[in-house]
């Protein structure tokens, strides 16, 4: 299991982190790309997560779910980037370019995908992260609660409110403009 591999890494078997990297690098890259829309930056952030895993491996406890632990690190890496460099989240101009429709042969499904991207980008960063973890990564509420250091009930409430907000934003967007 991931937890067993991390315990072995904690004991000094650093090659176990290679296996964890193989299991999680794509998921983390997608998590970062969803937030930054920058391939290079997403690769760097993913690498930073694994550097921190190596650096802080002794602090891992066997009681902690590994997926929650790695996403907590990922969230901190992302927050540190914006604190250090004082970046803003992608602005509407970048979001609009991302959602531009290249030709008129777009399907209804791709139009809805573009609208969803626009709507997601208008959510708060924490809301985007929670939806990504619960809906795209299929993490359990209890795991996400560990990442955000709150109760499972609080995460359920946040997901409910965020989905309601996303729905409102989604239907306000006119993709034809």
């Amino acid at each position: 299991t991931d937890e067993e591999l991390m315990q072995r890494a904690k004991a000094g078997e650093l090659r176990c982190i290679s296996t964890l990297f193989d299991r999680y690098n794509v998921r983390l890259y997608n998590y970062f790309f969803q937030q930054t829309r920058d391939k290079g930056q997403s690769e760097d952030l993913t690498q930073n997560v694994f550097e921190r895993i190596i650096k802080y491996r002794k602090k891992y406890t066997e009681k902690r779910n590994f997926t929650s632990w790695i996403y907590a690190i990922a969230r901190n890496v992302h927050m540190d980037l914006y604190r250090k460099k004082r970046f803003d989240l992608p602005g509407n101009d970048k979001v609009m370019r991302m959602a531009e429709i290249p030709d008129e042969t777009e399907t209804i499904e791709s139009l809805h995908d573009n609208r969803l991207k626009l709507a997601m980008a208008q959510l708060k960063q924490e809301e985007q992260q929670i939806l990504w973890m619960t809906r795209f990564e299929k993490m359990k509420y209890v795991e996400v609660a560990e990442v955000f250091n709150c109760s499972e009930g609080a995460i359920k409430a946040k997901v409910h409110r965020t989905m309601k907000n996303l729905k409102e934003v989604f239907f306000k967007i006119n993709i034809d403009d």
Side-chain angles (χ1 to χ4, degrees):
T1 67
D2 295 339
E3 290 78 10
E4 291 168 340
L5 287 169
M6 196 59 218
Q7 284 300 325
R8 289 172 50 196
K10 184 178 175 180
E13 290 183 53
L14 294 183
R15 71 178 187 279
C16 294
I17 293 177
S18 168
T19 304
L20 293 170
F21 179 84
D22 292 341
R23 290 180 185 177
Y24 283 90
N25 79 78
V26 172
R27 290 171 62 183
L28 289 171
Y29 172 84
N30 289 335
Y31 170 76
F32 289 127
F33 187 76
Q34 178 266 334
Q35 295 177 65
T36 66
R37 300 289 182 225
D38 183 311
K39 291 179 182 181
Q41 194 170 59
S42 298
E43 290 170 358
D44 291 344
L45 293 171
T46 301
Q47 189 65 36
N48 289 347
V49 169
F50 286 94
E51 288 172 2
R52 286 193 187 183
I53 286 174
I54 292 168
K55 183 176 179 179
Y56 298 113
R57 69 184 183 276
K58 300 268 187 214
K59 293 186 178 191
Y60 178 77
T61 63
E62 53 277 347
K63 295 175 187 173
R64 188 109 193 245
N65 175 288
F66 181 78
T67 301
S68 300
W69 189 67
I70 197 170
Y71 274 95
I73 291 171
R75 184 169 185 260
N76 289 337
V77 164
H78 186 252
M79 299 296 277
D80 289 349
L81 170 77
Y82 286 100
R83 271 190 220 115
K84 237 185 269 179
K85 296 187 178 182
R86 294 194 166 107
F87 283 130
D88 291 326
L89 290 174
N92 282 340
D93 58 328
K94 193 170 184 179
V95 172
M96 293 306 286
R97 280 195 311 273
M98 174 188 76
E100 282 178 2
I101 300 171
D103 58 48
E104 293 184 20
T105 61
E106 291 283 342
T107 64
I108 296 296
E109 186 175 302
S110 64
L111 288 173
H112 287 304
D113 287 347
N114 287 333
R115 184 185 279 178
L116 181 59
K117 287 176 188 175
L118 284 168
M120 283 285 288
Q122 292 181 34
L123 296 176
K124 295 176 188 168
Q125 182 181 13
E126 181 178 279
E127 292 173 330
Q128 290 177 20
Q129 292 171 341
I130 288 172
L131 284 185
W132 184 263
M133 289 177 194
T134 58
R135 297 300 189 246
F136 298 102
E137 288 297 323
K138 307 285 189 218
M139 290 173 65
K140 296 177 182 166
Y141 289 129
V142 69
E143 294 172 331
V144 178
E146 278 186 49
V147 172
F148 286 88
N149 198 26
C150 63
S151 71
E152 182 178 355
I155 291 296
K156 287 179 182 180
K158 286 179 183 185
V159 168
H160 177 75
R161 282 192 305 268
T162 301
M163 290 298 290
K164 183 178 177 184
N165 186 19
L166 181 63
K167 182 179 176 183
E168 289 172 10
V169 172
F170 180 85
F171 286 111
K172 285 181 183 175
I173 294 173
N174 185 355
I175 205 74
D176 295 330
D177 290 342

